[in-house]
Structures are given as C-alpha cells and as structure tokens.
C-alpha cells in the first residue's frame, strides 16, 4: 500500500508521478483514493485541546493539508501553504516586512501585483523599486540597509521577459535579502525556483496548477522551517485561506498538470512558429524562439517554454488589435490564463489597465499587444482561428 508515499518517495519520484502521488495519503476512514472534501469549520474535541490535529478550519483543514503537501511536492519544497487567491498569498509574503522596509521588484509584472504594492503596501510605508531585474548593476545600486526582499516574476506578464533567477539569488544571498519568485507563468512543470536559490515560490494556482478556469487559489512553497512558521502564522492570523472545495478542485487539477503542460508547450511552439513566419505579424514574444532576447537564460532554467505568447500585428493600433481579438472564435476573450481552453486578451485595457500608460508602455505593453494563453485544443484549429481573425 502506498499509504505514506509522500515523504518517503518525494525525492525519488519524477514530476509525472509527483503530481499524482506527491505528499498524498490514502484516506484513513474509508480508503477514498481522492482526499474527501472536509466541508467543516470545526472539529470535535474529547477534552479542551483534545483533538486529532485539527481544531478550526482557518488554521488547518484536512483537504487543505492534502493540497499543501501536494504543492510542496510538485515545487520540490518542504512546505506548501494554500491561500484564497494568488494575491492573498502575496499579501502574506509582504506582511513579513515592516514600515520603512524596501523591496526590489521587476518593473514588468502582473497588474494586480503592481496594484497590491502601490495601493496597499505603499500606504503601510513599504518602499518599492520597480526596475529591470535583467540589469544586475541596477539591482545592486538599489540595495541599501533597508532592503529586505527581491520580488521576481519570470517569465513576465505579458512581455515574456526571462529573469535569471540564479544570478538574482546570488545577489540576494550576499546581501541577506529574501528572494521570492512568482512562478505562475511557468508552473512547477517548467521551472522550480527553489533549486536556483529562491526562498519563497508563489503561484496563482488559479492558472496552470488548477488548470480548468474553475477556481481562484494561491500558493506559497518554502524550504525554511522559520519562514514556514512565520508565513503560516500570518496565514492563520490574517485568515485568507481557501475553502475545502476549492482545495479539492485544485488537487484534481494538479493530477493532470504534467500532461496538460506537455500539450500547452507543444501548442505554444506551433503557434509561436506560425506567428513568427506570418507576414501579418510584427513581433512575437515567446521565450522558446531562438531570437527571443532571453532565450539562453530560459533554456538554462526552464524545462520547456509554455503556452503563453504575446504578439503585435503589423501596422496595428488599439482599434485594430481589439478587432482581431473580437474576431477570434475558438480563443475566448477573457482575463486569466493557464486553463485547458485558449484565451486571448488585450493587456493594455485588461490585465494591465491598473498600470499608468507611460509606465506600461516603457515595459513594452503597447496598445497593439495581444496576449494568448494557448490551451490544449488541436493546434491547427487554433492557427486557423488566428488566420481568420486577422483576415476578416
Ligand atoms: C493571476 C496572477 C496573479 C494573481 O493571482 P489571483 O489568483 O488572481 O489572485 C499573480 N501573479 C500572476 C503572474 C498572475 O498571472
């Protein structure tokens, strides 16, 4: 029986097996193969404090524990922590800091992250330096005795820039800074930042990890006992935890993460190549292309290149880009990414609308930029859809 497969074989199993078995136990009550949805807020105690490890579901819930162990296993970390959303997970990380502390951040990042930093934590007197993390000199120049954390997003959303986690982690270590990596775009299938020296890996599990566009959930994965203690204290004290049903849906999604990612990468490559060879397209941003400025770093730290692609049509402007997106029939015009179905979005007016135009355009998010989350449909149908959308 594979009753305690989790800890025993975490190191030995390959990723394809860890998504299914990593950190999982067969349920003790009835041998349920999938963890039951423990839809309960509280747990009976025989005497005050006499419980079986669970007393209140904000603190712990068995379905959440199963998910947290799975998250740790697939990221190759010691501890996983699940949250009500990706932003709730980030919120928890920044509560490790105190007023006056400074943070160095990728200038090219998810709009909601930018909003959390500037509209919430700046009010609580954290200071953020938004810079190009590929420029090591610039990173070093921003470090002073108040600096506490470097926040990396790679590949970045939506420009698909790749930051060298290993070299940033060297700077973080030699200056005793925490390094946190938003690994949402890559998913644990493509990239495991802990290997390159990150202290905290964050995921919007809403995206590839859950993978079916049916749940909002966030995750943190760490190796350090101390960091885990501090983060789980905040998780319980601030309370942004996911419900058991959402934990179950995410666990179910994780079972197919490896096979889904394989197809996302395959389709991503087909579509990126099609776009690169098309006369109607000006520029394609996909780290798997040899002419991508960070292709070498991507090759070093990623196992493949994923299904996120951005592009600008030739001679396009705001109106024109919107028209193409509206013409798509298989790609759905929607926020979000990482689901089995293909989505298309217009970052300037959607995901990145909360970033001021001047700052947005500086990092390349122009009015004509279109972002694709390539799903797992047949790639030929997706290519045909793009052709008809451009030509109609
Ligand atoms: C979606 C997303 C988030 C936020 O996650 P939610 O689950 O929507 O709260 C953070 N970072 C990146 C890169 C994302 O794509």
């Amino acid at each position: 029986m594979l009753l305690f497969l989790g800890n025993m074989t975490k190191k030995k199993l390959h990723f394809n097996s860890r998504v299914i078995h990593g950190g999982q136990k067969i349920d003790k009550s009835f041998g349920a193969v999938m963890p039951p949805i423990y839809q309960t807020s509280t747990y009976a105690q025989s005497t005050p404090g006499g419980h079986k490890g669970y007393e209140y579901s904000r603190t712990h819930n068995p379905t959440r524990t199963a998910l947290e162990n799975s998250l740790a296993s697939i990221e190759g970390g010691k501890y996983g922590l699940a949250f009500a959303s990706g932003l709730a997970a980030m919120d928890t990380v920044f509560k490790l800091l105190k007023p006056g502390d400074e943070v160095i951040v990728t200038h090219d990042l998810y709009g909601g992250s930018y909003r959390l930093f500037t509209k919430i934590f700046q009010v609580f007197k954290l200071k953020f330096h938004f810079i190009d993390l590929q420029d090591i000199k610039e990173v070093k120049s921003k470090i002073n005795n108040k600096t506490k954390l470097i926040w990396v997003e790679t590949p970045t959303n939506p420009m698909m820039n790749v930051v060298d986690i290993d070299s940033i982690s060297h700077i973080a270590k030699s200056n005793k800074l925490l390094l946190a990596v938003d690994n949402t775009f890559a998913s644990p299938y493509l990239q495991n930042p802990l290997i390159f020296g990150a202290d905290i890996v964050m995921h919007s599990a809403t995206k590839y990890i859950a993978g079916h566009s049916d749940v909002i959930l966030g995750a943190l994965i760490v190796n350090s006992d101390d960091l885990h203690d501090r983060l789980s204290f905040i998780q319980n004290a601030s309370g942004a935890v996911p419900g058991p049903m959402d934990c179950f849906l995410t666990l179910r999604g994780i079972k197919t993460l490896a096979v889904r990612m394989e197809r996302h990468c395959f389709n991503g490559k087909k579509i990126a190549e099609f776009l690169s060879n098309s006369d109607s397209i000006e520029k394609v941003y996909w780290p798997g292309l040899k002419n991508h400025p960070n292709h070498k770093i991507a090759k070093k730290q990623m196992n493949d290149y994923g299904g996120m692609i951005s592009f600008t049509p030739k001679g396009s402007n705001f109106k024109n880009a919107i028209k193409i997106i509206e013409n798509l029939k298989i790609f759905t015009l929607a926020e979000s990414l990482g689901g089995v179905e293909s989505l298309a979005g217009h970052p300037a007016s959607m995901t990145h609308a909360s970033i001021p135009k001047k700052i947005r355009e500086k990092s390349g998010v122009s009015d004509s930029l279109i972002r694709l989350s390539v799903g797992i449909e047949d790639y030929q149908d997706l290519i045909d859809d793009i052709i008809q959308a451009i030509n109609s």
Side-chain angles (χ1 to χ4, degrees), residues 84-88 90 110 113 153 155 157 182 184-185 202-207 216-218 336-337 371:
S85 68
L87 284 174
M90 292 178 66
Y110 175 65
S113 306
E153 192 181 308
N157 178 8
D182 181 341
T184 301
F185 260 45
M202 172 261 158
H203 281 281
S204 168
T206 310
K207 317 291 168 53
I216 299 282
L217 197 134
S336 201
L337 61 110
R371 189 190 82 178

Short mmCIF file of all heavy atoms in Angstrom, two decimals, residues 84-88 90 110 113 153 155 157 182 184-185 202-207 216-218 336-337 371, ligand 1:
data_model
loop_
_atom_site.label_atom_id
_atom_site.label_comp_id
_atom_site.label_asym_id
_atom_site.label_seq_id
_atom_site.Cartn_x
_atom_site.Cartn_y
_atom_site.Cartn_z
N ALA A 84 -6.52 31.91 -0.35
CA ALA A 84 -7.78 32.14 -1.06
C ALA A 84 -7.57 32.64 -2.49
O ALA A 84 -8.47 32.54 -3.32
CB ALA A 84 -8.64 33.13 -0.27
N SER A 85 -6.39 33.19 -2.79
CA SER A 85 -6.08 33.65 -4.14
C SER A 85 -4.57 33.86 -4.23
O SER A 85 -3.88 33.87 -3.20
CB SER A 85 -6.80 34.97 -4.46
OG SER A 85 -6.26 36.02 -3.68
N GLY A 86 -4.09 34.05 -5.45
CA GLY A 86 -2.67 34.35 -5.63
C GLY A 86 -2.31 35.64 -4.90
O GLY A 86 -1.26 35.72 -4.25
N LEU A 87 -3.18 36.64 -5.00
CA LEU A 87 -2.89 37.91 -4.34
C LEU A 87 -2.90 37.77 -2.82
O LEU A 87 -2.14 38.43 -2.12
CB LEU A 87 -3.86 39.00 -4.81
CG LEU A 87 -3.53 39.54 -6.21
CD1 LEU A 87 -4.61 40.50 -6.69
CD2 LEU A 87 -2.17 40.24 -6.23
N ALA A 88 -3.75 36.89 -2.29
CA ALA A 88 -3.76 36.65 -0.84
C ALA A 88 -2.44 36.01 -0.41
O ALA A 88 -1.92 36.30 0.67
CB ALA A 88 -4.93 35.75 -0.45
N MET A 90 0.46 36.54 -1.94
CA MET A 90 1.43 37.64 -1.97
C MET A 90 1.27 38.55 -0.77
O MET A 90 2.26 38.98 -0.16
CB MET A 90 1.24 38.46 -3.26
CG MET A 90 1.62 37.69 -4.49
SD MET A 90 1.33 38.63 -6.00
CE MET A 90 2.52 39.95 -5.79
N TYR A 110 2.68 41.48 -13.35
CA TYR A 110 1.22 41.36 -13.31
C TYR A 110 0.60 42.62 -12.71
O TYR A 110 1.05 43.10 -11.66
CB TYR A 110 0.86 40.12 -12.48
CG TYR A 110 -0.60 39.91 -12.25
CD1 TYR A 110 -1.46 39.64 -13.32
CD2 TYR A 110 -1.14 39.97 -10.98
CE1 TYR A 110 -2.81 39.45 -13.11
CE2 TYR A 110 -2.50 39.77 -10.76
CZ TYR A 110 -3.33 39.53 -11.82
OH TYR A 110 -4.67 39.34 -11.60
N SER A 113 -0.40 42.65 -9.06
CA SER A 113 0.73 42.71 -8.14
C SER A 113 1.15 44.18 -7.96
O SER A 113 1.37 44.65 -6.84
CB SER A 113 1.92 41.92 -8.67
OG SER A 113 1.53 40.60 -8.98
N GLU A 153 9.31 38.08 -11.11
CA GLU A 153 8.28 37.38 -11.87
C GLU A 153 8.97 36.95 -13.17
O GLU A 153 9.55 37.78 -13.86
CB GLU A 153 7.13 38.35 -12.16
CG GLU A 153 5.88 37.68 -12.69
CD GLU A 153 4.77 38.69 -12.98
OE1 GLU A 153 4.42 39.50 -12.09
OE2 GLU A 153 4.25 38.68 -14.10
N PRO A 155 8.61 33.76 -16.47
CA PRO A 155 8.57 34.82 -17.46
C PRO A 155 7.57 35.90 -17.05
O PRO A 155 6.60 35.61 -16.36
CB PRO A 155 8.09 34.12 -18.73
CG PRO A 155 8.33 32.67 -18.52
CD PRO A 155 8.23 32.44 -17.06
N ASN A 157 4.74 38.93 -17.29
CA ASN A 157 3.41 39.06 -17.86
C ASN A 157 3.21 40.50 -18.29
O ASN A 157 3.27 41.38 -17.43
CB ASN A 157 2.41 38.69 -16.74
CG ASN A 157 0.98 38.81 -17.15
OD1 ASN A 157 0.66 39.05 -18.31
ND2 ASN A 157 0.09 38.68 -16.19
N ASP A 182 7.47 34.76 -8.31
CA ASP A 182 6.12 34.46 -8.79
C ASP A 182 6.28 33.51 -9.97
O ASP A 182 6.71 33.91 -11.05
CB ASP A 182 5.43 35.77 -9.20
CG ASP A 182 4.00 35.56 -9.70
OD1 ASP A 182 3.65 34.41 -10.06
OD2 ASP A 182 3.23 36.54 -9.73
N THR A 184 3.96 31.70 -11.47
CA THR A 184 2.65 31.42 -12.07
C THR A 184 2.73 31.06 -13.56
O THR A 184 2.15 30.08 -14.01
CB THR A 184 1.73 32.64 -11.90
OG1 THR A 184 1.59 32.92 -10.51
CG2 THR A 184 0.36 32.39 -12.52
N PHE A 185 3.46 31.88 -14.33
CA PHE A 185 3.50 31.69 -15.79
C PHE A 185 4.19 30.39 -16.17
O PHE A 185 3.84 29.77 -17.16
CB PHE A 185 4.23 32.87 -16.46
CG PHE A 185 3.29 33.88 -17.04
CD1 PHE A 185 2.19 34.30 -16.30
CD2 PHE A 185 3.49 34.41 -18.30
CE1 PHE A 185 1.30 35.23 -16.83
CE2 PHE A 185 2.61 35.33 -18.84
CZ PHE A 185 1.52 35.74 -18.11
N MET A 202 5.88 31.61 -5.24
CA MET A 202 4.46 31.94 -5.16
C MET A 202 3.79 31.52 -6.46
O MET A 202 4.38 31.58 -7.54
CB MET A 202 4.32 33.46 -4.93
CG MET A 202 2.91 33.99 -5.01
SD MET A 202 2.64 34.71 -6.63
CE MET A 202 0.87 34.66 -6.74
N HIS A 203 2.53 31.04 -6.34
CA HIS A 203 1.74 30.71 -7.52
C HIS A 203 0.35 31.29 -7.41
O HIS A 203 -0.28 31.21 -6.35
CB HIS A 203 1.56 29.19 -7.67
CG HIS A 203 2.75 28.49 -8.23
ND1 HIS A 203 3.03 28.49 -9.57
CD2 HIS A 203 3.73 27.78 -7.62
CE1 HIS A 203 4.13 27.78 -9.78
NE2 HIS A 203 4.59 27.36 -8.61
N SER A 204 -0.15 31.81 -8.51
CA SER A 204 -1.59 31.92 -8.65
C SER A 204 -2.00 30.55 -9.19
O SER A 204 -1.90 30.29 -10.39
CB SER A 204 -1.97 33.03 -9.63
OG SER A 204 -3.35 32.91 -9.93
N ALA A 205 -2.42 29.66 -8.28
CA ALA A 205 -2.81 28.30 -8.69
C ALA A 205 -4.09 28.33 -9.52
O ALA A 205 -4.45 27.34 -10.16
CB ALA A 205 -2.99 27.41 -7.46
N THR A 206 -4.75 29.49 -9.51
CA THR A 206 -5.89 29.76 -10.38
C THR A 206 -5.56 29.40 -11.83
O THR A 206 -6.44 29.03 -12.60
CB THR A 206 -6.18 31.28 -10.32
OG1 THR A 206 -6.26 31.69 -8.96
CG2 THR A 206 -7.46 31.64 -11.05
N LYS A 207 -4.29 29.56 -12.20
CA LYS A 207 -3.88 29.45 -13.60
C LYS A 207 -3.50 28.01 -13.93
O LYS A 207 -4.35 27.15 -13.89
CB LYS A 207 -2.73 30.44 -13.86
CG LYS A 207 -2.94 31.82 -13.23
CD LYS A 207 -4.06 32.63 -13.87
CE LYS A 207 -4.47 33.87 -13.08
NZ LYS A 207 -3.41 34.80 -12.71
N ILE A 216 -10.31 30.00 -7.85
CA ILE A 216 -9.32 31.03 -7.52
C ILE A 216 -8.56 30.52 -6.31
O ILE A 216 -9.17 30.19 -5.28
CB ILE A 216 -10.00 32.37 -7.16
CG1 ILE A 216 -10.85 32.93 -8.32
CG2 ILE A 216 -8.99 33.40 -6.66
CD1 ILE A 216 -10.07 33.62 -9.42
N LEU A 217 -7.24 30.42 -6.42
CA LEU A 217 -6.45 29.89 -5.30
C LEU A 217 -4.99 30.30 -5.43
O LEU A 217 -4.48 30.46 -6.54
CB LEU A 217 -6.56 28.35 -5.28
CG LEU A 217 -6.14 27.68 -3.97
CD1 LEU A 217 -7.16 26.63 -3.54
CD2 LEU A 217 -4.77 27.03 -4.08
N GLY A 218 -4.34 30.51 -4.30
CA GLY A 218 -2.94 30.91 -4.30
C GLY A 218 -2.08 29.97 -3.50
O GLY A 218 -2.59 29.21 -2.68
N SER A 336 -7.32 36.19 -17.34
CA SER A 336 -6.76 34.94 -16.82
C SER A 336 -6.02 34.13 -17.89
O SER A 336 -5.90 34.56 -19.05
CB SER A 336 -7.84 34.07 -16.18
OG SER A 336 -7.23 33.14 -15.30
N LEU A 337 -5.50 32.97 -17.49
CA LEU A 337 -4.62 32.17 -18.34
C LEU A 337 -4.47 30.79 -17.71
O LEU A 337 -4.92 30.55 -16.59
CB LEU A 337 -3.24 32.84 -18.44
CG LEU A 337 -2.47 33.01 -17.10
CD1 LEU A 337 -1.27 32.10 -17.04
CD2 LEU A 337 -2.04 34.44 -16.90
N ARG A 371 -2.24 39.20 -26.04
CA ARG A 371 -1.67 38.10 -25.28
C ARG A 371 -2.53 36.84 -25.44
O ARG A 371 -3.75 36.91 -25.32
CB ARG A 371 -1.60 38.47 -23.79
CG ARG A 371 -0.83 37.46 -22.96
CD ARG A 371 -0.97 37.73 -21.48
NE ARG A 371 -2.21 37.18 -20.97
CZ ARG A 371 -2.58 37.22 -19.69
NH1 ARG A 371 -1.81 37.82 -18.81
NH2 ARG A 371 -3.72 36.71 -19.29
C1 LIG B 1 -3.24 35.90 -11.83
C2 LIG B 1 -1.91 36.25 -11.35
C3 LIG B 1 -1.69 36.66 -10.02
C4 LIG B 1 -2.83 36.83 -9.04
O1 LIG B 1 -3.45 35.62 -8.72
P1 LIG B 1 -5.01 35.51 -8.33
O2 LIG B 1 -5.19 34.05 -8.12
O3 LIG B 1 -5.80 36.07 -9.47
O4 LIG B 1 -5.19 36.32 -7.08
C5 LIG B 1 -0.40 36.94 -9.63
N1 LIG B 1 0.64 36.82 -10.49
C6 LIG B 1 0.48 36.44 -11.76
C7 LIG B 1 1.66 36.32 -12.67
C8 LIG B 1 -0.80 36.14 -12.25
O5 LIG B 1 -0.95 35.78 -13.52
#
